[in-house]
C-alpha cells in the first residue's frame, strides 16, 4: 500500500515537473538544479558563478532551505533575482514548490536559473523539478567513496562539480578512485574539479554554462 502511495506522489510530481519544463522552455530559461550534501559549497559556487557571469546574462536563483533565508540573503547581495523556498522539514524540493517559486520570478527576463536544492545527497535526486540539468556537487572533505555509496544523484546528473580542490593536499581524497566510480555510474558524465573559494578551475565550469545558454536559446527558437 505504501509503495502505491509513493508511486502516486512521484507521478503527480512528474506531471507538475512537465508543466514547469514547458513554462521554462516557453521563456527560454536554462535551468540547473544543484544537489549536494550540506556544506559542499553550493551557495559559494553560486556566488562566484553569478559574480563572473551576471554582466553577460540575466541570472535568477531559487533557494531551497529547510528553515532559514541565509543563503537567499547571500545571493540577494549580488543584485540578482532570488526566491526562497522553505520546506519546513522536508529534505528536498518538489515540482509543486518549484512551480510556486517560478510564478514569483520574472522568467521573461531570465537567461539562466539556478535552483539550490536542500543540502542532501539522497532525496533531491529522486525529484524532477522540471530543470534542464541536475548538477551534483561533491567536496574533497566528504571522501572519494561517495559516488559508489550514493550513486543515484550521479546517475541523474549531467555534470559533477568536485569542489574544495584547494584542500586536496590536506586530505586523503583519492581523485582517481572517485573519477573511476563516476565513470562506472555514467560514462559520459562531465566532472569539473574546482575551488569555489580560490576560483581555481572555475573557468571550465563557466565555459560550459556559457556554451549551454545559447544552445538552449536555439532549441527554444526551433521548438516554438
Ligand atoms: N576550502 C574551501 N572551502 C569552501 C569551498 N567552497 C565552500 N567552502 C566553505 O564551505 C562551507 C559551506 O559552504 P556553502 O557554500 O555554504 O555550502 P552549501 O552547500 O551551500 O551548504 P548548505 O546550503 O547548508 O547545504 C563554507 O564555510 C564555505 O566557505 C572551497 O572551494 N574551498
Ligand atoms: Mg547553501
Amino acid at each position: 500500500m505504501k509503495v502505491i502511495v509513493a508511486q502516486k506522489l512521484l507521478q503527480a510530481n512528474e506531471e507538475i515537473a512537465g508543466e514547469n519544463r514547458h513554462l521554462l522552455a516557453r521563456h527560454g530559461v536554462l535551468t540547473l538544479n544543484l544537489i549536494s550534501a550540506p556544506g559542499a559549497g553550493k551557495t559559494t559556487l553560486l556566488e562566484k558563478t553569478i559574480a563572473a557571469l551576471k554582466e553577460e546574462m540575466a541570472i535568477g536563483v531559487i533557494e531551497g532551505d529547510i528553515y532559514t533565508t541565509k543563503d537567499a540573503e547571500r545571493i540577494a547581495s549580488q543584485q540578482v533575482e532570488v526566491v526562497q523556498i522553505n520546506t519546513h522539514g522536508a529534505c528536498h524540493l518538489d515540482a509543486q514548490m518549484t512551480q510556486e517559486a517560478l510564478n514569483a520570478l520574472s522568467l521573461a527576463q531570465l537567461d539562466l536559473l539556478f535552483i539550490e536544492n536542500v543540502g542532501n545527497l539522497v532525496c533531491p535526486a529522486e525529484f524532477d523539478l522540471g530543470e534542464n540539468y541536475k548538477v551534483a556537487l561533491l567536496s574533497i572533505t566528504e571522501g572519494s567513496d561517495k559516488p559508489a555509496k550514493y550513486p543515484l544523484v550521479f546517475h541523474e546528473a549531467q555534470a559533477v562539480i568536485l569542489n574544495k580542490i584547494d584542500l586536496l593536499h590536506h586530505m586523503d581524497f583519492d581523485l582517481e578512485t572517485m573519477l573511476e566510480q563516476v565513470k562506472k555510474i555514467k560514462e559520459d558524465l562531465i566532472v569539473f574539479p574546482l575551488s569555489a573559494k580560490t576560483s581555481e578551475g572555475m573557468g571550465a565550469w563557466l565555459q560550459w554554462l556559457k556554451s549551454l545558454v545559447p544552445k538552449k536559446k536555439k532549441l527554444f527558437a526551433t521548438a516554438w
Side-chain angles (χ1 to χ4, degrees):
M1 212 44 181
K2 273 183 186 163
V3 173
I4 293 168
V5 171
Q7 272 174 349
K8 276 192 179 159
L9 266 176
L10 283 173
Q11 204 177 330
N13 188 77
E14 278 303 306
E15 280 168 25
I16 301 169
E19 292 172 12
N20 293 349
R21 204 176 333 276
H22 188 78
L23 180 70
L24 288 160
R26 197 148 55 81
H27 288 95
V29 183
L30 179 85
T31 304
L32 279 77
N33 177 5
L34 302 187
I35 301 176
S36 82
K42 299 177 294 300
T43 313
T44 310
L45 179 76
L46 284 180
E47 288 172 317
K48 284 289 173 79
T49 303
I50 291 165
L53 296 181
K54 71 176 176 183
E55 301 303 328
E56 291 174 53
M57 53 185 86
I59 302 175
V61 179
I62 296 175
E63 274 295 342
D65 225 324
I66 297 181
Y67 296 114
T68 77
T69 56
K70 285 176 186 295
D71 288 356
E73 286 160 25
R74 284 167 66 184
I75 298 299
S77 72
Q78 303 259 346
Q79 276 80 48
V80 296
E81 202 176 359
V82 55
V83 174
Q84 176 75 57
I85 302 174
N86 280 143
T87 64
H88 299 284
C91 59
H92 60 85
L93 296 179
D94 65 27
Q96 178 64 49
M97 298 172 195
T98 305
Q99 190 164 82
E100 285 164 30
L102 292 178
N103 289 336
L105 281 165
S106 329
L107 293 180
Q109 319 297 328
L110 295 182
D111 298 306
L112 178 59
L113 174 66
F114 291 107
I115 303 174
E116 177 175 341
N117 219 310
V118 176
N120 185 312
L121 207 49
V122 182
C123 317
E126 292 184 30
F127 286 80
D128 183 5
L129 306 181
E131 74 280 333
N132 297 101
Y133 299 102
K134 285 187 173 67
V135 177
L137 271 89
L138 175 66
S139 62
I140 295 294
T141 49
E142 290 161 58
S144 37
D145 59 352
K146 293 303 168 287
K149 290 183 72 176
Y150 302 92
L152 182 63
V153 66
F154 296 92
H155 185 265
E156 294 298 308
Q158 284 75 31
V160 174
I161 302 280
L162 177 60
N163 192 30
K164 309 195 186 182
I165 58 164
D166 55 296
L167 300 177
L168 205 46
H169 300 299
H170 303 284
M171 309 294 296
D172 61 356
F173 191 92
D174 184 341
L175 185 56
E176 261 179 44
T177 301
M178 179 261 170
L179 292 173
E180 269 168 30
Q181 289 172 15
V182 167
K183 293 274 172 243
K184 256 189 213 163
I185 296 165
K186 206 173 186 180
E187 181 71 38
D188 58 349
L189 201 48
I190 313 168
V191 181
F192 297 106
L194 58 83
S195 167
K197 185 175 178 169
T198 67
S199 296
E200 184 187 352
M202 283 283 295
W205 158 247
L206 297 174
Q207 277 309 321
W208 185 67
L209 291 175
K210 284 191 220 177
S211 75
L212 290 177
V213 172
K215 236 189 247 170
K216 175 72 173 36
K217 293 263 180 210
K218 263 185 235 154
L219 277 179
F220 164 68
T222 52
W224 296 92

